[in-house]
Amino acid sequence: MALLTPETTRWVAAATALVFVLASVSFVVPASGSVSPVAFDDTVKTGGTSVDVRTAEVEGFEVPLAQVHFSRYRYVIGYYDVRTAAADVSTPESARQFGDPLAVFVTDYATVSPDLDGDGYLRTEHNRNPDWTKASEASFVVGSGARVPSGPITVPFSDADAARSFADAHGGEVVDWATLRDRAGDPLSSRLTAFESSVAAHHEWANGTTAASDALFDRPVSTVVGEDAPTVEAAVTSAPANTTVYVPAGTYSVDAVDLNRSVTLRGAGRDTRLVGDGNGSVVHLRADRSAVGNLAIAGVGGVGTRRVRASNESVDWDTRVELAYGRGDAGVVLDGANESAVRGVEIDTPASGIIARESADSVVDGVTVRGADEPSDGFMGVVLIGERAVVQDSTFIDGRDGVYTHRADGSVVRDNRMEDGRYGVHQMYTSEALVAGNVVRGDRIGVVLMTRPVGNLVVGNDVRESDFGFMPAGSDTYVADNVFAGNDYGMDVSGDRQVYVGNVVAGNGVGVRGSSTFPTNVVVRNDIVDNDVRVESSLGPMRTWTAGGEGNYWGDLPLEDADADGVYDRAYQPSGPVDAELGREPGALALSESPAMRALRRARDAVSGLRGSGVVDAAPRTEPVRPETLAALNATEETDD
């Protein structure tokens, strides 16, 4: 046993007192008596996307709801998606942390004459509000034409005949609650396989889309500025479709260059400079399969955002967002220019670099955008609005955000570098996008996902020297194989049904912040080492970061692995007052093996719903998941020193 210094003795005494306080208040009394549904506004809400919820509120269609009452969780959990509720109540993680589901209620469409409009949105006769019914007694229509903006929905009915009638009219299959739970509760291995398949599909689409854009830069030259036309504007106006306007090296003053046909504007590299008058955007692509490449742009206007006047109440929500983020000044604007491309362009801008509005399958490749020195003075490197696009192999220095997306579902942002801005990649209302292989240095946040998106993929990024490495919202995000090192905070575990696997979180002030209100996230096979604080967690119940017998690597802990199976023999609580100090304070090991702590661990492991915030790893690893990456990080630190 380690010798206890006076300082350590005081620390041990304080920690012991805290342990007994926690032990005295940590158990939730199981709920008893009958359970009735509550108003949905009184639940802790999850599931669905902000776009679904907001659009339903504005347009008045239905989003089927569920609410779950657990035996050892003080709050009722409300779900904007019935299938998500079915999946969550089926997992052993939920049983461990919430207890048993005492009751699950779903909205009942049997008595409100449901129908689908032309968009497939669910509506009720005279906009009547559905009541609640027990999920265990309900019938569910799956695979029908009913949907919300993010995808198909499951529609519940208290009456099986009403469910069959709806399915006859709108397609789909009628199943009971047990079948819905079985289908929704995919094991982790199946989810990982699906995520990896989605990553591969995104890369395949991006590769094909980029390859298709190559032809835009192989078009024959029809017009040379200075030889065939006196100005860039005149050359673009006179060039036939599907040809190239070539701009030799030199500096060209331009007002606004509009590509209204499928034309490519190509320069001789950075020695070809287009300089605007500082009062707006410089180059506009307004036609499908138009392109600009191999030149530099300056003289961009300084307006980053154009807001709607407060008195104009008739403007809808999407228009407000588009005006705020997508109608500012930029070096290049793509406006309804599908399958277009910006390649090898350097842009100096006080506002945005490139804005792509409703320009599906477009490509931004190999560009460099230098923004304002102070993030608050500038705007975005690239803005994607309304359609998916590829942004790759580009560099964004200073300015506000490197890449900002709004409802650009399915986009791919990969292999870029962001430095000294506000956010590296900033996704708003964007789902099922891939953010991969990006390098971020010195930003406030490396990658941030906002407004309850669904199904995003954040893979293989490297964020260092920033305030926060990764901060998500929403659900079903795949966070894999990233490096978050040397930041104030490494990564945030929030939202619901997120999966974190294979990440290296090292050398941060705080390694991981657990901020989800309830613990449905999976955090396994990560290396979380050498952080000043391993885990910071103060909200919600105890979270178990173990799945399928697999946990995480927390460094070389002074614990036993008697059977040499690569897993320490007892659970580890990195956020706990004692375990957090293992390997740091000499007295921590002695206190952790005291009778009081042993009893508390046995209770925590045996009884679901142990009250108190924090994180426990039931199968902490003895060896790292990615030793080569950790070795490379250590070598970098030694070189820096």
Side-chain angles (χ1 to χ4, degrees):
M1 179 182 298
L3 294 176
L4 300 183
T5 65
E7 180 180 355
T8 303
T9 300
R10 287 193 295 272
W11 176 85
V12 170
T16 302
L18 179 59
V19 167
F20 282 111
V21 170
L22 289 175
S24 68
V25 300
S26 288
F27 295 96
V28 175
V29 178
S32 61
S34 62
V35 178
S36 301
V38 301
F40 193 72
D41 286 344
D42 295 336
T43 66
V44 177
K45 301 171 186 63
T46 185
T49 71
S50 284
V51 171
D52 295 339
V53 175
R54 174 67 177 179
T55 307
E57 290 174 350
V58 172
E59 299 187 14
F61 61 82
E62 289 286 314
V63 177
L65 308 174
Q67 57 175 271
V68 183
H69 302 241
F70 284 101
S71 63
R72 299 190 181 272
Y73 189 55
R74 67 172 69 184
Y75 304 109
V76 178
I77 301 179
Y79 292 86
Y80 284 107
D81 176 45
V82 173
R83 288 183 65 89
T84 301
D88 281 355
V89 301
S90 302
T91 64
E93 288 77 22
S94 290
R96 178 188 177 96
Q97 295 168 118
F98 297 143
D100 298 324
L102 295 175
V104 182
F105 298 98
V106 293
T107 43
D108 176 19
Y109 292 94
T111 61
V112 292
S113 303
D115 201 357
L116 302 183
D117 64 16
D119 294 318
Y121 296 158
L122 183 66
R123 297 184 181 274
T124 62
E125 187 178 44
H126 305 307
N127 294 320
R128 287 187 291 170
N129 295 321
D131 205 345
W132 297 97
T133 187
K134 288 184 177 180
S136 59
E137 300 174 0
S139 297
F140 301 83
V141 179
V142 299
S144 72
R147 60 183 300 273
V148 292
S150 65
I153 56 174
T154 296
V155 186
F157 296 83
S158 61
D159 181 75
D161 289 338
R164 284 189 287 270
S165 177
F166 184 87
D168 290 342
H170 304 292
E173 174 189 5
V174 179
V175 300
D176 60 14
W177 177 240
T179 302
L180 188 66
R181 288 179 61 175
D182 289 342
R183 293 183 182 181
D186 292 334
L188 177 59
S189 59
S190 297
R191 295 188 70 195
L192 293 177
T193 298
F195 279 133
E196 286 299 322
S197 177
S198 184
V199 170
H202 278 72
H203 278 303
E204 183 178 1
W205 170 79
N207 292 340
T209 302
T210 302
S213 72
D214 290 345
L216 304 181
F217 298 95
D218 292 333
R219 289 168 166 165
V221 175
S222 63
T223 310
V224 178
V225 176
E227 296 180 10
D228 304 311
T231 66
V232 175
E233 294 93 330
V236 169
T237 299
S238 64
N242 300 313
T243 66
T244 294
V245 172
Y246 179 71
V247 188
T251 299
Y252 301 82
S253 296
V254 297
D255 293 329
V257 180
D258 289 338
L259 277 67
N260 294 316
R261 296 179 310 289
S262 299
V263 170
T264 298
L265 180 66
R266 179 166 57 84
R270 65 174 61 182
D271 292 331
T272 298
R273 288 178 53 82
L274 306 186
V275 181
D277 61 7
N279 291 312
S281 299
V282 179
V283 178
H284 288 80
L285 309 185
R286 303 183 188 276
D288 294 350
R289 296 189 60 77
S290 52
V292 57
N294 299 335
L295 50 79
I297 295 174
V300 180
V303 178
T305 177
R306 289 182 167 88
R307 300 191 180 279
V308 182
R309 293 180 181 178
S311 61
N312 190 351
E313 298 297 334
S314 63
V315 175
D316 63 35
W317 169 68
D318 267 344
T319 302
R320 287 179 179 273
V321 173
E322 182 178 316
L323 287 169
Y325 294 97
R327 294 285 175 175
D329 298 332
V332 180
V333 175
L334 291 75
D335 198 349
N338 301 315
E339 300 180 26
S340 296
V342 182
R343 180 180 295 181
V345 174
E346 296 189 11
I347 302 172
D348 288 285
T349 176
S352 290
I354 299 166
I355 297 175
R357 296 189 296 259
E358 307 292 342
S359 296
D361 301 334
S362 292
V363 177
V364 176
D365 185 9
V367 307
T368 299
V369 178
R370 299 180 184 88
D373 292 339
E374 290 295 328
S376 59
D377 294 336
F379 222 60
M380 317 305 191
V382 172
V383 177
L384 305 180
I385 290 185
E387 293 287 353
R388 66 176 181 174
V390 181
V391 181
Q392 66 179 25
D393 297 322
S394 297
T395 300
F396 306 99
I397 301 172
D398 296 329
R400 190 170 300 184
D401 299 348
V403 178
Y404 171 89
T405 70
H406 172 77
R407 297 192 72 168
D409 295 353
S411 290
V412 173
V413 180
R414 64 182 184 180
D415 302 326
N416 304 287
R417 185 177 183 92
M418 295 87 166
E419 297 180 6
D420 300 326
R422 183 184 67 164
Y423 305 151
V425 180
H426 180 190
Q427 292 190 345
M428 291 278 285
Y429 305 100
T430 298
S431 296
E432 298 180 350
L434 172 64
V435 179
N438 300 286
V439 173
V440 183
R441 296 289 185 269
D443 280 16
R444 280 178 53 192
I445 304 178
V447 179
V448 57
L449 315 179
M450 294 186 177
T451 56
R452 289 210 301 270
V454 172
N456 284 296
L457 311 162
V458 180
V459 180
N461 302 283
D462 188 317
V463 183
R464 309 187 199 187
E465 303 160 16
S466 299
D467 293 350
F468 225 117
F470 174 63
M471 185 177 293
S475 62
D476 292 288
T477 306
Y478 182 50
V479 187
D481 303 327
N482 301 283
V483 173
F484 304 118
N487 308 290
D488 291 344
Y489 284 81
M491 69 181 186
D492 189 68
V493 175
S494 57
D496 60 281
R497 293 180 56 78
Q498 324 276 41
V499 174
Y500 297 74
V501 61
N503 301 287
V504 172
V505 185
N508 304 283
V510 175
V512 185
R513 185 176 71 176
S515 58
S516 53
T517 307
F518 41 89
T520 57
N521 299 311
V522 176
V523 184
V524 296
R525 297 203 300 270
N526 301 284
D527 293 327
I528 306 171
V529 299
D530 299 328
N531 303 286
D532 295 341
V533 176
R534 288 169 173 135
V535 173
E536 178 183 277
S537 178
S538 59
L539 297 174
M542 186 72 72
R543 304 157 180 85
T544 301
W545 287 356
T546 310
E550 293 192 277
N552 303 276
Y553 177 66
W554 302 94
D556 188 12
L557 301 175
L559 302 176
E560 288 187 338
D561 176 18
D563 56 4
D565 65 348
V567 176
Y568 288 116
D569 293 342
R570 74 160 175 85
Y572 173 67
Q573 188 177 351
S575 62
V578 179
D579 277 7
E581 300 302 326
L582 286 178
R584 298 174 178 174
E585 286 285 349
L589 180 59
L591 180 58
S592 72
E593 298 306 319
S594 68
M597 284 302 303
R598 289 175 181 268
L600 185 58
R601 283 198 298 270
R602 285 196 297 270
R604 182 190 63 204
D605 293 342
V607 180
S608 62
L610 183 63
R611 185 175 295 178
S613 295
V615 168
V616 62
D617 188 337
R621 298 171 59 98
T622 63
E623 298 293 335
V625 180
R626 297 172 60 186
E628 298 85 358
T629 302
L630 289 176
L633 284 172
N634 291 332
T636 300
E637 291 178 0
E638 292 173 0
T639 300
D640 292 342
D641 293 341

